[in-house]
Amino acid sequence: MAGLRALAALLCLLLPPGRAAAPEEEAGVLVLRADSFERALAEHRYLLVEFYAPWCGHCKALAPEYEKAAAKLKAEGSEIRLAKVDATEEAELAQQFGVRGYPTIKFFRNGDKAAPKEYTAGREADDIVSWLKKRTGPAAAALSDAAAAEALVESSDVVVIGFFKDSASEAAKEFLLAAEAVDDIPFGISSSADVFTKYELSKDGVVLFKKTAPKIFGGEIKTHILLFLPKSVSDYQEKLDNFKSAAGNFKGKILFIFIDSDHSDNQRILEFFGLKKEECPAVRLITLEEEMTKYKPDSDDLTADKIREFCNKFLEGKIKPHLMSQDLPDDWDKQPVKVLVGKNFEEVAFDENKNVFVEFYAPWCGHCKQLAPIWDKLGETYRDHENIVIAKMDSTANEVEAVKIHSFPTLKFFPAGSGRNVIDYNGERTLEGFKKFLESGGQDGAAADDDLEDLETDEETDLEEGDDEEQKMQKDEL
């Protein structure tokens, strides 16, 4: 008996008190809770954690890509793991790491909880994997010869290469530190005489290689038709030839543009047209007059004859604009901030008995992310109000005839009544500012008639001619 007691005491010493639970796993992604978070950090040198809400549409859209990224890393034998935390259930964890919107994604290295790095790249599997590899691998690829340097330069629209004859010099170390700080541009470093000779350098230096692409929406012709065609499809050349054949009939009237829908740099333009990769090949037409208006063919047939027929009907004024809309979520009105899509916008915004305040946002917009927690608090403030409704609409995926959005976030107030009035908000983007505006019936903070819109050009997808930033689109004008 004494021996058993001694063994029990020994086991108590060997086993840590309150041993953390092992994390569960779903589709290769670790499911973390308060009782398993610490253990996951201890067991995995590199851990990417998504804090999500089950009702969040963006979280739902991210989920399959997040799982693909996890599977890809696992297949490569990587020590990087992906995890997720339901922030609505694990409120203390969410608060500990400053989660104010969904999804929030943070990268933990070597179990360090003090300063996890905010994930800043795109939301496709390849984006996630590339970002993680840059954060865990060498900040700059070592280029041993001219062929390696040339391959890197060709791999991306923008590439930075450091040329240092002594790769251990202070200047080389500073270059590598700079490379670590930049997530979305590939860096290379070389001390090879072969590489110096190829790029005609005689001394140390840093060179930025940038491919120049013509602007996608520029020039005199204001009607463009775009073919979104992945180069990976078996009948790629046939479809491209059909498109080129149709182009000859509309010279000077419609600009024909081909876009490789597989290329990662083109995902923003697909999003702008409400397209997903799996929906391509596809054709869309856009007019670039005072308002950008989009048109969609009735048929998915991409023969030359069908494309000509579509263009002719457009020129004859027989095609109606195509307004994008997401499906209406079942829980669109269950949260303090109501979710609007194209299909329910008219019914909610122009309800004669309600005063409706709407944020038109883009998921990728930094200003929108900053506004999100304030907008959520505003929703909570008026959750039970008899005639004030706080709402939001993703304007990259939904369009309505009554309102044209040119920048994000755009805030508009739809007062009760039969006049279908719309008031632009131009006041402070604070909870108090919004409350004053609503309590004053849309007066305090309203934009004057001659006020210009608050164009946040660093965040918006403004694709009209005159955009100074070069469009990084893999496309050809036909």
Side-chain angles (χ1 to χ4, degrees):
M1 194 69 169
L4 287 175
R5 281 198 299 270
L7 179 60
L10 180 61
L11 287 173
C12 287
L13 289 172
L14 292 174
L15 291 174
R19 179 170 173 78
E24 298 173 22
E25 191 170 320
E26 290 179 2
V29 177
L30 299 175
V31 181
L32 304 185
R33 298 183 174 84
D35 61 356
S36 58
F37 196 87
E38 295 285 347
R39 180 168 173 177
L41 286 180
E43 291 181 348
H44 302 291
R45 184 181 176 192
Y46 303 119
L47 190 66
L48 187 70
V49 181
E50 175 204 3
F51 294 87
Y52 73 97
W55 44 259
C56 166
H58 300 305
C59 302
K60 291 175 184 176
L62 173 64
E65 295 298 319
Y66 202 67
E67 290 170 3
K68 282 183 199 172
K72 186 173 182 178
L73 290 167
K74 187 174 183 179
E76 293 175 358
S78 172
E79 59 181 327
I80 305 169
R81 291 302 307 266
L82 271 60
K84 62 183 180 180
V85 172
D86 182 345
T88 65
E89 293 288 335
E90 305 296 336
E92 287 187 13
L93 279 177
Q95 185 176 6
Q96 180 181 353
F97 295 108
V99 175
R100 293 186 295 273
Y102 306 111
T104 291
I105 307 174
K106 293 181 180 284
F107 178 59
F108 296 83
R109 184 197 295 266
N110 297 323
D112 181 12
K113 296 186 296 181
K117 185 169 182 64
E118 199 82 20
Y119 175 77
T120 55
R123 295 190 179 177
E124 292 196 6
D126 288 344
D127 298 325
I128 296 168
V129 171
S130 296
W131 188 89
L132 286 167
K133 285 182 175 179
K134 178 119 191 209
R135 303 258 48 92
T136 56
L143 308 174
S144 58
D145 54 35
E150 191 172 1
L152 180 64
V153 169
E154 289 300 317
S155 70
S156 185
D157 288 321
V158 180
V159 170
V160 178
I161 296 180
F163 296 81
F164 301 99
K165 291 180 180 178
D166 179 5
S167 59
S169 67
E170 285 303 313
K173 291 175 183 176
E174 289 294 327
F175 174 77
L176 291 174
L177 286 174
E180 285 181 2
V182 180
D183 296 325
D184 54 353
I185 297 176
F187 279 66
I189 187 169
S190 182
S191 57
S192 164
D194 185 25
V195 178
F196 271 74
T197 300
K198 176 171 178 58
Y199 294 104
E200 301 178 354
L201 270 77
S202 58
K203 57 183 181 180
D204 289 3
V206 175
V207 178
L208 183 146
F209 297 85
K210 186 174 184 180
K211 296 176 185 175
T212 303
K215 291 182 181 182
I216 190 164
F217 293 147
E220 295 298 318
I221 302 173
K222 296 301 181 184
T223 300
H224 297 178
I225 186 170
L226 299 92
L227 171 64
F228 296 89
L229 178 63
K231 288 186 176 179
S232 56
V233 296
S234 58
D235 57 348
Y236 163 79
Q237 194 58 52
E238 179 186 348
K239 281 186 165 57
L240 185 58
D241 289 344
N242 286 340
F243 194 60
K244 289 180 177 180
S245 173
N249 296 73
F250 302 96
K251 192 171 183 179
K253 299 177 182 177
I254 300 176
L255 186 65
F256 279 60
I257 296 172
F258 153 68
I259 292 178
D260 178 7
S261 57
D262 272 343
H263 199 286
S264 59
D265 283 342
N266 293 337
Q267 297 319 298
R268 181 69 62 80
I269 193 71
L270 263 74
E271 181 183 285
F272 178 72
F273 281 92
L275 282 169
K276 297 177 182 177
K277 273 187 178 181
E278 54 269 26
E279 294 175 305
C280 299
V283 161
R284 294 292 186 271
L285 186 145
I286 185 170
T287 58
L288 304 173
E289 302 299 339
E290 187 176 340
E291 300 289 352
M292 286 190 283
T293 308
K294 303 165 192 170
Y295 299 84
K296 175 185 176 182
D298 293 331
S299 169
D300 292 330
D301 190 342
L302 297 181
T303 61
D305 286 341
K306 282 293 183 182
I307 294 170
R308 288 191 197 99
E309 180 185 336
F310 173 59
C311 291
N312 280 322
K313 283 185 175 179
F314 166 77
L315 293 173
E316 293 165 5
K318 296 179 179 178
I319 304 287
K320 290 184 177 180
H322 170 62
L323 299 174
M324 298 186 298
S325 178
Q326 294 173 303
D327 291 331
L328 183 64
D330 293 336
D331 60 350
W332 72 271
D333 60 347
K334 300 296 187 291
Q335 298 301 320
V337 177
K338 312 308 175 190
V339 177
L340 303 185
V341 298
K343 294 174 181 177
N344 73 334
F345 180 84
E346 281 279 328
E347 177 187 353
V348 177
F350 292 108
D351 184 336
E352 295 184 8
N353 300 310
K354 302 289 184 184
N355 295 290
V356 185
F357 199 12
V358 182
E359 176 202 5
F360 298 87
Y361 72 96
W364 42 260
C365 165
H367 298 295
C368 302
K369 291 175 183 176
Q370 290 173 1
L371 179 61
I374 301 171
W375 202 252
D376 287 341
K377 287 179 183 175
L378 186 67
E380 286 285 356
T381 301
Y382 292 98
R383 182 172 197 159
D384 299 317
H385 198 281
E386 62 180 19
N387 62 22
I388 291 180
V389 175
I390 308 301
K392 63 181 180 181
M393 188 171 87
D394 178 354
S395 286
T396 66
N398 300 279
E399 296 169 319
V400 292
E401 207 165 345
V403 177
K404 300 297 181 184
I405 304 301
H406 300 286
S407 62
F408 305 110
T410 290
L411 307 176
K412 292 182 181 284
F413 180 60
F414 301 81
S418 58
R420 292 178 63 86
N421 294 323
V422 183
I423 299 172
D424 288 323
Y425 179 77
N426 201 31
E428 293 182 358
R429 291 177 181 174
T430 62
L431 183 60
E432 286 306 312
F434 293 144
K435 287 166 67 176
K436 285 181 184 178
F437 176 70
L438 290 170
E439 298 302 331
S440 68
Q443 300 299 313
D444 191 342
D449 291 340
D450 58 352
D451 275 357
L452 294 175
E453 287 196 359
D454 180 15
L455 294 178
E456 296 177 350
T457 53
D458 56 328
E459 292 291 350
E460 64 177 323
T461 308
D462 188 351
L463 298 174
E464 294 190 43
E465 183 178 7
D467 186 357
D468 290 334
E469 185 179 353
E470 217 163 17
Q471 297 297 327
K472 295 194 297 181
M473 304 295 175
Q474 296 292 313
K475 63 95 173 179
D476 296 308
E477 294 181 8
L478 304 178

